[in-house]
């Protein structure tokens, strides 16, 4: 692919990914409570979801996506339920001073990955980006296998950079609170945010 096309695609993707949404809320909320552990799995699921939508756009699956819309609803609801469960865990977690030690409990690795994947596959914004906006940026009719791999590489790099930046900032903010009272407030605030993300995912 032409370098300019890749740059335009990367810029558009970065803007779309950086805009606040369920994925950003879920990632930041979880990082504030649990730290960076597991964040990579959540991001990996999001990245794979974007690649699935890219493949759908490249193969001209817009009609299929509309035909099996009910399947995407089920995927989205599954992700929303898991986010709700994480929100409940945050609310009920015993406050442990952050300075006292490292994370001792992590959520299901498969669950985090599948939640990231589900949030993206069930996200109308991702669907619109790849099935509606992408064709105006990239000539999908003449997209080669190598070009597809180049776009996948751009997706991985851009999303890792954008969401990685959110994780770093959230982890630093987490380190500002050391007492158990502050940790409890963070847990409950983030639990509320995570529950909000679950509602957004379920109702989009």
């Amino acid at each position: 692919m032409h370098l300019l096309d890749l740059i335009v695609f990367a810029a558009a993707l970065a803007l779309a990914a950086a805009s606040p949404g369920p994925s950003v809320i879920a990632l930041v909320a979880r990082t504030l409570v649990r730290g960076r552990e597991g964040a990579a799995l959540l991001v990996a699921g999001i990245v794979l979801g974007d690649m699935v939508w890219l493949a759908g756009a490249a193969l001209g699956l817009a009609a299929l996506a509309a035909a099996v819309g009910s399947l995407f609803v089920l995927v989205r609801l599954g992700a929303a339920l898991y986010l709700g469960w994480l929100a409940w865990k945050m609310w009920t977690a015993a406050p442990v001073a952050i300075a006292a030690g490292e994370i001792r409990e992590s959520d299901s690795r498969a669950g985090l990955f599948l939640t990231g994947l589900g949030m993206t596959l069930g996200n109308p914004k991702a669907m619109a980006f790849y099935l509606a906006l992408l064709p105006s940026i990239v000539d999908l009719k003449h997209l080669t296998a190598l070009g597809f791999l180049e776009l996948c590489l751009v997706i991985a790099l851009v999303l890792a950079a954008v969401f990685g930046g959110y994780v770093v900032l959230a982890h630093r903010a987490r380190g500002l609170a050391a007492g158990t009272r502050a940790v409890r407030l963070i847990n409950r605030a983030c639990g509320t945010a995570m529950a909000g993300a679950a509602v957004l995912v379920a109702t989009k």
Side-chain angles (χ1 to χ4, degrees), residues 94-142:
V96 178
I98 294 174
E102 295 299 320
I103 300 168
R104 298 174 185 174
E105 179 185 359
S106 61
D107 300 304
S108 165
R109 298 172 67 84
L112 289 171
F113 177 80
L114 292 175
T115 296
L117 177 61
M119 282 193 299
T120 304
L121 293 181
N123 186 356
K125 185 175 74 171
M127 185 188 301
F129 178 84
Y130 286 101
L131 300 183
L133 179 60
L134 182 62
S136 66
I137 300 175
V138 177
D139 183 7
L140 295 175
K141 293 182 180 180
H142 299 92

Side-chain angles (χ1 to χ4, degrees), residues 28-148:
V28 169
R30 190 185 181 282
T31 301
L32 283 170
V33 175
R34 298 288 190 192
R36 289 174 293 190
E37 182 182 345
L41 289 168
L42 196 58
V43 173
I46 296 171
V47 169
L48 179 59
D50 273 55
M51 290 180 179
V52 170
W53 278 122
L54 172 63
L59 296 174
L61 297 183
L64 178 61
V68 296
S70 58
L71 175 61
F72 292 123
V73 170
L74 292 177
V75 171
R76 187 172 73 241
L77 291 178
L81 287 174
Y82 190 75
L83 288 175
W85 180 71
L86 291 180
W88 177 79
K89 286 188 68 177
M90 289 178 183
W91 258 91
T92 58
V96 178
I98 294 174
E102 295 299 320
I103 300 168
R104 298 174 185 174
E105 179 185 359
S106 61
D107 300 304
S108 165
R109 298 172 67 84
L112 289 171
F113 177 80
L114 292 175
T115 296
L117 177 61
M119 282 193 299
T120 304
L121 293 181
N123 186 356
K125 185 175 74 171
M127 185 188 301
F129 178 84
Y130 286 101
L131 300 183
L133 179 60
L134 182 62
S136 66
I137 300 175
V138 177
D139 183 7
L140 295 175
K141 293 182 180 180
H142 299 92
L143 183 64
T144 63
L146 179 59
F148 178 80

